[in-house]
Amino acid sequence: MLSNASIASIAVTVPGGSYEVLVGPRLLDAFGERLAERFGAPGKRAFLVYDAGLPDEHVVAASRSLAHAGFMVSSASVQPTETAKTLGTAARILVDLAETRHERGEPVVALGGGVTCDLAGYVAAVYRRGVPVVHCPTTLLAMVDASVGGKTGVNLLTPAGLEKNMVGVFWQPAMVVADVQALLTLSERDFRAGLAECVKHGMIGGEADAEGPLDPGLLDWIEANAERILEREPATLAELVARNVALKARVVGADEREDAPAGLSRMLLNLGHTFAHAIETIPAASPSPKPEDAPLRHGEAVALGLLAACAASEALGLAQPSLRQRVEALLRRLGLPTQVYGLPAPAGVADRMRSDKKVSAGRLRIVAPREGSRAGVVALGDDRAAIAGLEAIGAP
Ligand code: GLY
C-alpha cells in the first residue's frame, strides 16, 4: 500500500482532463496498485519502457509492483542518449507492443529519465492512435520537467545534424509517479544537471496566472537550501520536486499547447533552451577543458543557456548584469557549468539556433529573463543579442 503521509499529490489540469503527479519516497515499490485501480487489472497488460542504464533495483521494483497488482508485464529497454531518441527506436518499441497484442486502454509505463519519458510518451501517443502513458521519472530533470506537461517526441537526424524533438505530439500522461528515492542512485553529474531546470523555474517564479504569482520565492529557497539539496537530503528533495512540479503544472494548465494568445505562456519554460538545444547538439561542446567530458548533458546545456539568456537580455536592455551574476553564482554552487568549451564561432551557433521550433518567419525568439523572477518572449530583429549571449558563455 502507498502510505499517504509522505506523498504529495499535485494535480495537472488541462482542457482534456486532469491527472495526478505523486511525489514521495519508495513509490516504485507499490505504484502498481494505483495503476490497477485506474486501469482495471488483473487481466490487463502493462508495457514497461525502461532506461537501459538504470540500476536493476528500480526496474525490478517497478516490474514486481505491476505484476503483484495483476498486470501482465512486458518490457523493452532504451539507451538514455539523444542519439537513441529516434524514430527507429520508437519503431522498435511499436513492433514490440504489437507483438504483445497490447490493447487500447492498457498502459505504457516509462521508467527513466527525459529520453525514456519522451520516447515512451511518443510511442504511447501513436500506437493504435493512443494508449495511456504513465511516467515514472527516475532523474531530477525528468521529475521536474520531462514527465509533466505532455510533450513527447523524438529527434530527427538531418544533413544539418541532430534536430532536437523535431517530431512529436502533445500526449498528457494518465499519471506521474516521482519516487524521490531514485534520485539517491543518480551519478553526481546527472543529479546536478537536473538542478538547472529547477533554477530555470526559480527564474520565472514571479510570473503569474489568474491565481497570482507562481512561486516568487523559489529561487531564494534554492539558494538557501543549496547545501541540503546537494547532500540529497530526502525531505529537501521531496520539497524541491513538489514545488517545481506545482509551478510547471500551473504553466501547463494556463497554456497546454504553447499557443495561448494572452496570459501566462508555456514558452517561458523554454528559458535558456534555444541556446541549450543549439549547443548540446555540437558533439565537441564540453562543460570543462577536458574534451572527454563532451557531450554536454541536457541540464548542463540548460545551465549555460540560462546564463546566455541573461546576457542576451542585458544586450536588449531588459536586465541588469546583477541578474546574470546572481544566476552564475548559484549555478557554480550547484556544480553546474558556467562556460562551455569547444564551441564554434558564435555567429555559426546563432545560425544553428534557427532550427529551434520557436523560430517564426526566420526570426529567433528567445525568453529574456528579468529581475524579480520575471521573463518575456522576445522576437529578435537580428542575431546581435544571441551572439552576446553565446560570447558570455564561450570559454576563451
Ligand atoms: N520543457 C518545456 C515544456 O515542457 O514546455
Side-chain angles (χ1 to χ4, degrees):
M1 285 286 283
L2 291 178
S3 121
N4 287 332
S6 54
I7 302 174
S9 168
I10 299 140
V12 184
T13 304
V14 288
S18 180
Y19 57 93
E20 234 186 345
V21 182
L22 301 175
V23 181
R26 301 240 169 261
L27 300 186
L28 286 179
D29 293 337
F31 81 112
E33 292 167 23
R34 284 269 178 136
L35 264 59
E37 282 163 28
R38 173 69 189 268
F39 297 108
K44 295 276 171 154
R45 297 172 190 79
F47 194 95
L48 187 67
V49 180
Y50 67 93
D51 175 335
L54 271 184
D56 285 348
E57 66 188 268
H58 302 321
V59 184
V60 170
S63 316
R64 238 186 227 154
S65 175
L66 289 166
H68 281 173
F71 286 100
M72 296 174 276
V73 185
S74 303
S75 62
S77 65
V78 292
Q79 292 300 324
T81 59
E82 292 294 338
T83 46
K85 198 175 108 177
T86 59
L87 284 167
T89 307
R92 170 173 64 77
I93 302 169
L94 287 166
V95 170
D96 288 351
L97 274 167
E99 283 186 345
T100 64
R101 307 220 170 276
H102 195 91
E103 293 179 5
R104 272 193 170 166
E106 294 177 329
V108 168
V109 179
L111 179 70
V115 168
T116 310
C117 291
D118 287 0
L119 249 172
Y122 178 70
V123 162
V126 297
Y127 178 73
R128 293 186 191 247
R129 298 205 182 92
V131 295
V133 63
V134 173
H135 289 307
C136 299
T138 57
T139 65
L140 182 58
L141 190 138
M143 288 184 192
V144 301
D145 190 29
S147 64
V148 179
K151 280 190 179 175
T152 75
V154 294
N155 303 327
L156 202 59
L157 190 57
T158 70
L162 196 69
E163 305 216 353
K164 285 261 304 182
N165 302 330
M166 200 46 94
V167 178
V169 289
F170 286 97
W171 189 247
Q172 297 293 344
M175 193 188 294
V176 180
V177 180
D179 182 343
V180 292
Q181 204 75 19
L183 300 178
L184 305 184
T185 56
L186 285 181
S187 73
E188 198 59 28
R189 187 171 171 186
D190 285 331
F191 177 72
R192 288 174 185 233
L195 292 170
E197 298 285 359
C198 302
V199 174
K200 175 193 81 178
H201 287 153
M203 290 171 71
I204 61 166
E207 291 293 328
D209 61 8
E211 289 167 32
L214 296 174
D215 189 348
L218 181 57
L219 198 59
D220 295 336
W221 184 86
I222 296 172
E223 286 172 330
N225 289 279
E227 271 68 48
R228 269 187 286 270
I229 292 170
L230 290 173
E231 283 161 15
R232 304 192 212 180
E233 202 268 309
T236 308
L237 290 183
E239 184 170 352
L240 177 72
V241 174
R243 263 176 101 150
N244 278 277
V245 169
L247 182 147
K248 181 158 183 184
R250 283 174 63 185
V251 179
V252 170
D255 181 16
E256 182 193 13
R257 296 196 171 220
E258 220 167 272
D259 58 2
L264 186 64
S265 167
R266 184 167 179 168
M267 276 191 216
L268 296 179
L269 296 176
N270 292 313
L271 174 57
H273 281 61
T274 307
F275 292 98
H277 287 167
I279 61 176
E280 74 186 303
T281 49
I282 297 170
S286 171
S288 83
K290 293 189 262 170
E292 62 269 28
D293 287 340
L296 290 163
R297 302 279 203 275
H298 175 65
E300 293 168 342
V302 170
L304 293 158
L306 295 176
L307 285 177
C310 289
S313 200
E314 275 169 52
L316 293 165
L318 298 172
Q320 300 298 317
S322 54
L323 176 63
R324 179 158 41 128
Q325 285 154 11
R326 180 181 181 188
V327 173
E328 185 165 345
L330 179 56
L331 295 174
R332 269 190 214 287
R333 281 178 72 199
L334 296 174
L336 284 159
T338 55
Q339 288 214 297
V340 55
Y341 297 76
L343 270 199
V349 184
D351 207 41
R352 285 175 77 90
M353 288 168 68
R354 246 177 284 284
S355 70
D356 188 87
K357 294 184 290 307
K358 263 69 69 183
V359 162
S360 174
R363 286 173 73 184
L364 279 175
R365 284 193 294 176
I366 63 161
V367 181
R370 288 184 279 143
E371 272 73 18
S373 294
R374 307 289 309 276
V377 180
V378 179
L380 301 180
D382 56 45
D383 288 355
R384 277 179 295 182
I387 289 173
L390 291 163
E391 282 171 347
I393 56 169

